Amino acid sequence: MTLSARAKFAIALFGLLAAAVFLVVVDFGINAGRIHHGVTVRGIEVGGMTVQEATALLTSENAELEDSPVVLTREGFSCNFIPSELGWDGRPEATAIAAYRVGRGKSWFGALGARVKAWWSGATIDWNDAIDRQAVSQLIDDCQIQAEALGYELRRWSLRHRIHEAIKLWPRAPVNIPVEGRAGA
């Protein structure tokens, strides 16, 4: 018995569709009730964990980030701080929930795409953090006083962004304070 080209194509298409459905079912089974494999929070592997397990891990990491000094430096001056002084909180539980939502979106195709991306290249999410904006503004004001005394013009918006990013950087390294150059030069 020979099959027509159309029948062979239909069988191959059905086989591919069946394999795809099988892989989706296996993926849902492996990740049921857990954060999808391949998901990280700023380099912290949380894939395969329950939300409670990830919350516990992120709580520990959050404490380390909160209490470790951040060094902001520029030629001749520095503006160092401890993130907890700025009211920074990584909100570990909210971050773990955000990690859990990877691959569980409203759109079925979007969720499937996020799952495939997590398996193949990983999915990184950021801390769902909060910070006291007034405390950050005060730190920037203090940095600006030092910068102006040395003749620099501080780039405030850029510094605000670098402060926020430097808090989440681990391991910590000195961060360059952004300036325009010498004021009036």
Side-chain angles (χ1 to χ4, degrees), residues 28 101-115:
F28 280 118
R101 289 185 181 140
V102 171
R104 291 178 172 87
K106 293 179 184 179
S107 159
W108 193 82
F109 285 113
L112 185 60
R115 285 173 175 261

Side-chain angles (χ1 to χ4, degrees), residues 12 19 26 58 72 78 114-117 127 140 143 151 158 168 183-184:
V26 167
L58 293 173
L72 300 173
S78 65
R115 285 173 175 261
V116 168
K117 182 179 184 274
W127 287 92
I140 292 171
C143 289
S158 185
K168 299 179 275 188

Side-chain angles (χ1 to χ4, degrees), residues 25 44 47 73 83 119 134 140 151 165 171 181:
V25 169
I44 303 165
T73 188
W119 274 114
Q134 285 184 316
I140 292 171
E165 288 300 307

Side-chain angles (χ1 to χ4, degrees), residues 65-73 78-88 131 135-136 139-140 142-143 159-160 162-168 172 175 177:
L65 289 172
E66 268 182 341
D67 297 329
S68 297
V70 175
V71 177
L72 300 173
T73 188
S78 65
C79 300
N80 305 334
F81 67 92
I82 295 176
S84 60
E85 294 170 349
L86 301 182
W88 186 81
I131 195 165
V136 173
L139 174 66
I140 292 171
D142 294 344
C143 289
L159 180 57
R160 182 176 296 277
R162 285 190 188 181
I163 288 169
H164 199 235
E165 288 300 307
I167 290 171
K168 299 179 275 188
R172 292 268 160 82
V175 177
I177 297 172

Side-chain angles (χ1 to χ4, degrees), residues 89-160:
D89 179 17
R91 299 174 50 199
E93 185 175 14
T95 302
I97 290 169
Y100 180 78
R101 289 185 181 140
V102 171
R104 291 178 172 87
K106 293 179 184 179
S107 159
W108 193 82
F109 285 113
L112 185 60
R115 285 173 175 261
V116 168
K117 182 179 184 274
W119 274 114
W120 287 103
S121 61
T124 299
I125 65 163
D126 206 349
W127 287 92
N128 188 346
D129 60 345
I131 195 165
D132 182 349
R133 293 183 56 80
Q134 285 184 316
V136 173
S137 293
Q138 182 61 50
L139 174 66
I140 292 171
D141 289 344
D142 294 344
C143 289
Q144 186 166 357
I145 290 168
Q146 289 185 55
E148 288 173 351
L150 293 170
Y152 289 109
E153 185 178 332
L154 191 66
R155 293 174 44 206
R156 292 180 64 90
W157 181 87
S158 185
L159 180 57
R160 182 176 296 277

